[in-house]
Amino acid sequence: MYTDCRVVLSSDHAAIQLRQAIADHIFARGCEVVDIGPATPESTHYPKHGEAAARRVASGDCRFGIVLCGTGQGIMMAANKVKGIRCGVCADTYSARMLRQHENANMLSLGARVIGEGLALDIVDAFLNASFEGGRHATRVDMITALEQ
Ligand code: RB5
């Protein structure tokens, strides 16, 4: 069971099924899920979906965002262009935990053509169950934020 967990989900066409599996998984663990699509598998452009999810997080509407595309890379890049967003691609649970503990990430990106559903759900759990450690890591995160100016 996660805490403080209203999560926006978005993807491109490459990740519709995995996005649904993640939505079901985190809903079952008590998250409020804001799935902003797309609902159908027609080819689409990941930047607009990454941006839309990122704006929900940056505005404070959602605590976290999880975005997906084929590799997770393109939609991560788009999300990170929105001020206040710290999004990383993960293909392992250690990185997902560190992404929260050290970078205080507010978004996670996954590659639906890179990892299977079981690992993806473990990565989501690692990310949502971890907490920011602060201290020296806060100094570094502040330095990242300063780059936005
Ligand atoms: C779409 O075919 C693909 O380019 C996209 O899902 C993603 O992998 C980009 O990073």
Side-chain angles (χ1 to χ4, degrees):
M1 195 69 106
Y2 318 120
T3 55
D4 185 16
C5 195
R6 176 173 158 90
V7 178
V8 59
L9 293 182
S10 188
S11 75
D12 73 359
H13 53 277
I16 303 262
Q17 280 187 333
L18 183 54
R19 196 185 80 228
Q20 186 59 56
I22 291 170
D24 294 345
H25 180 76
I26 65 176
F27 180 76
R29 280 159 180 73
C31 273
E32 193 178 343
V33 178
V34 181
D35 189 339
I36 58 171
T40 55
E42 289 84 40
S43 182
T44 182
H45 302 302
Y46 57 78
K48 64 182 180 184
H49 303 293
E51 181 197 354
R55 295 215 181 278
R56 295 286 189 125
V57 175
S59 71
D61 177 39
C62 294
R63 174 70 184 88
F64 296 113
I66 300 175
V67 288
L68 309 93
C69 63
T71 60
Q73 302 292 354
I75 201 161
M76 175 272 291
M77 291 180 191
N80 276 322
K81 294 294 182 188
V82 175
K83 200 170 179 178
I85 295 303
R86 289 177 302 281
C87 181
V89 182
C90 291
D92 67 275
T93 55
Y94 176 80
S95 298
R97 197 165 69 249
M98 289 302 126
L99 192 60
R100 287 283 306 121
Q101 290 182 359
H102 288 186
E103 281 76 50
N104 197 17
N106 45 20
M107 293 186 68
L108 170 68
S109 184
L110 299 168
R113 293 174 178 159
V114 180
I115 56 173
E117 183 180 308
L119 177 55
L121 299 182
D122 281 353
I123 289 170
V124 167
D125 284 343
F127 181 82
L128 292 177
N129 282 322
S131 302
F132 184 46
E133 289 178 355
R136 68 185 188 282
H137 303 296
T139 304
R140 295 161 185 168
V141 171
D142 288 347
M143 291 169 72
I144 295 173
T145 303
L147 296 171
E148 295 179 337
Q149 304 314 314

